[in-house]
Amino acid sequence: MREKLSQRTPTLEDVAKAAGVSRATVSRVVNGSTTVDARMRHQVAKAIETTGYIPNAAARTLVNGRTGTVALVISGSDGSADQLFRDPFFGRITGGVLRHLRSRSMHPTLMLADSGEARQEAVDFVRRGNADGALLVSTHAGDPLPRLFVDAGVPAVLFARPAVPVPISFVDLAHAAGAALAADRLADRGCRRVVTIAGPADLPAANDRLAGFQRAMERRGVPYVEVARGNFTIGSGERAMAELLATVPDADGVFAANDLMAVGALRVLHEHGRSVPDDVALIGFDDSEPAQLARPRLTTISQPVEQMAERMAAILLDHLSGATELTSVVFDPGLIIRESA
C-alpha cells in the first residue's frame, strides 16, 4: 500500500481502507478519542504506519483544541540565564521532558522567564493557545510564576515544592533524607570536624538539605556543623570552602549541597594541600556528570532528575486529559559511593 501511495500524500481515506474501518473511526483515533475500541485503535495505528499517513497538526488543533506543544518554562532571578544553562541540572530536566513528550508525539517549547515581563509573556503564550500547558522550573523562593499560572487558569506542573503554598501539582525529592544519607556516610568514616556548604537561604530544597544534614549529624553525636552558603555554582563552592577552612582548618568531612559546589570545594582542598579522601572526606548532591568527572570521583546523593521530569510531564498530560485533582510526587534519594568519601 505504501509503495502505491508514494507519489501522493496519504489521506484519512487511505488509512480507513487499509484498516478496514470508516473514515470517521480513523478521525476519532487520530484526534485522541477514548471511545474507540482498543482493537480498532490498534488496526488504525498499524494502517497509519503502513500508509505513511501523517496527521495534520493544524487540522487536529481545530478539532480538539490541542496544539501538541507544551511550554517548558525555566524561571530564574533576573539576569541568571548564563548561570542556568551552565548547570547540568537543567539539561537533565529538559532531557527527561523530551523523552516523555516525544513518545507521545508532543513537543516542548523552551522559554526562559528571567524577568517580570518574560514571566508574563510565558503565561500569555500558553493562555493564547500557543501551547496546551506548561512545565515550570523555578530557581528562587520569591518567584511569582507558579501563582501567575494558577491565577490565569492555565494547566501547569512545577518541578520542586513551591516555597509559598500554591494550589499546583509538583514533583520533588526528599531532600532532608538525602542529606541525612551524607551525614551518616561521613559519621561512619569517623569524621568529627564536619562542615557543610549549603545552597541559597531562600530555596526550600537548600534549607531542607541543610536541616536534614544538621539533624542527622546531631543524632551521630556531632552537635554543631559550621555552615557557609553558596549558590550552586563551582565558584561559590570555592569561596565557601575557603571560608570554612579559615574557620575550621582541621575539617575532616565536607558535605556540599550540590555537585558543582563540591567540585569547587575539591579544588580549594587540593590548593590547601588537603588530600581527598585521606585528609578530608567530601560528599556532593545530585549525582550529576561533574561528580563522575571529578578526580577523585565524588561520592554523592542521587537525585533522579530525568525520572522526576518525566513524571512532571506525565502529570501535566493527565491534567490535559481531564484529571482535575492536584497531586504531588516525592522521589527518594540514594547514596552513590565513589572515591571522595
Side-chain angles (χ1 to χ4, degrees):
M1 170 70 77
R2 192 165 188 168
E3 292 180 359
K4 293 179 181 179
L5 297 174
S6 61
Q7 301 303 313
R8 63 180 177 82
T9 302
T11 65
L12 281 178
E13 287 78 7
D14 296 321
V15 176
K17 183 176 180 180
V21 300
S22 69
R23 183 185 186 283
T25 296
V26 175
S27 179
R28 289 200 299 273
V29 172
V30 168
N31 289 303
S33 172
T34 59
T35 63
V36 181
D37 176 77
R39 180 179 59 81
M40 285 190 177
R41 284 202 305 272
H42 180 68
Q43 289 177 215
V44 171
K46 288 186 62 177
I48 288 174
E49 181 179 357
T50 300
T51 61
Y53 173 74
I54 301 176
N56 185 288
R60 186 167 52 199
T61 298
L62 289 174
V63 171
N64 61 18
R66 299 273 284 275
T67 67
T69 299
V70 168
L72 174 57
V73 186
I74 299 179
S75 178
S77 301
D78 293 359
S80 64
D82 289 343
Q83 177 181 323
L84 287 176
F85 293 112
R86 281 199 300 266
D87 191 332
F89 176 78
F90 299 101
R92 295 175 66 190
I93 291 177
T94 302
V97 168
L98 274 170
R99 184 159 55 240
H100 190 81
L101 294 182
R102 287 181 64 186
S103 66
R104 289 151 182 81
S105 299
M106 298 191 72
H107 307 281
T109 294
L110 180 62
M111 305 186 74
L112 178 61
D114 56 355
S115 68
E117 181 181 0
R119 284 187 277 273
Q120 189 58 55
E121 286 177 356
V123 174
D124 292 341
F125 179 83
V126 182
R127 187 167 51 187
R128 290 169 182 162
N130 297 300
D132 299 322
L135 301 169
L136 310 180
V137 184
S138 179
T139 61
H140 63 103
D143 189 358
L145 191 72
R147 172 57 69 179
L148 288 174
F149 270 88
V150 169
D151 290 347
V154 175
V157 181
L158 181 63
F159 193 103
R161 169 173 55 90
V164 178
V166 178
I168 189 171
S169 294
F170 66 85
V171 299
D172 204 354
L173 184 79
H175 297 281
L181 293 174
D184 287 339
R185 176 65 179 174
L186 293 176
D188 288 343
R189 289 181 59 89
C191 298
R192 300 291 297 177
R193 297 286 289 166
V194 177
V195 298
T196 184
I197 302 174
D202 65 344
L203 278 183
N207 291 329
D208 287 349
R209 293 177 190 183
L210 175 59
F213 184 75
Q214 290 172 322
R215 287 196 297 268
M217 291 307 306
E218 290 169 2
R219 290 195 298 270
R220 299 301 295 265
V222 179
Y224 177 75
V225 174
E226 190 72 30
V227 180
R229 293 273 184 178
N231 62 2
F232 290 145
T233 63
I234 291 176
S236 72
E238 292 176 336
R239 291 188 292 273
M241 191 70 251
E243 176 185 334
L244 289 168
L245 286 177
T247 306
V248 189
D250 59 343
D252 60 3
V254 180
F255 169 55
N258 84 331
D259 291 334
L260 291 180
M261 293 195 299
V263 169
L266 182 61
R267 292 178 180 178
V268 171
L269 289 168
H270 284 163
E271 290 171 359
H272 282 71
R274 307 298 301 279
S275 174
V276 176
D278 295 334
D279 298 327
V280 184
L282 173 63
I283 299 179
F285 202 112
D286 286 339
D287 192 26
S288 59
E289 186 176 10
Q292 301 177 48
L293 296 177
R295 292 295 178 269
R297 296 186 306 156
L298 293 179
T299 292
T300 186
I301 305 302
S302 67
Q303 177 172 202
V305 175
E306 293 85 357
Q307 292 90 336
M308 294 167 69
E310 287 190 61
R311 181 65 67 86
M312 177 174 65
I315 293 171
L316 178 62
L317 296 188
D318 286 343
H319 287 332
L320 295 177
S321 297
T324 59
E325 186 173 352
L326 298 179
T327 187
S328 59
V329 180
V330 179
F331 286 73
D332 292 322
L335 175 66
I336 307 298
I337 297 176
R338 297 193 180 98
E339 290 90 355
S340 72

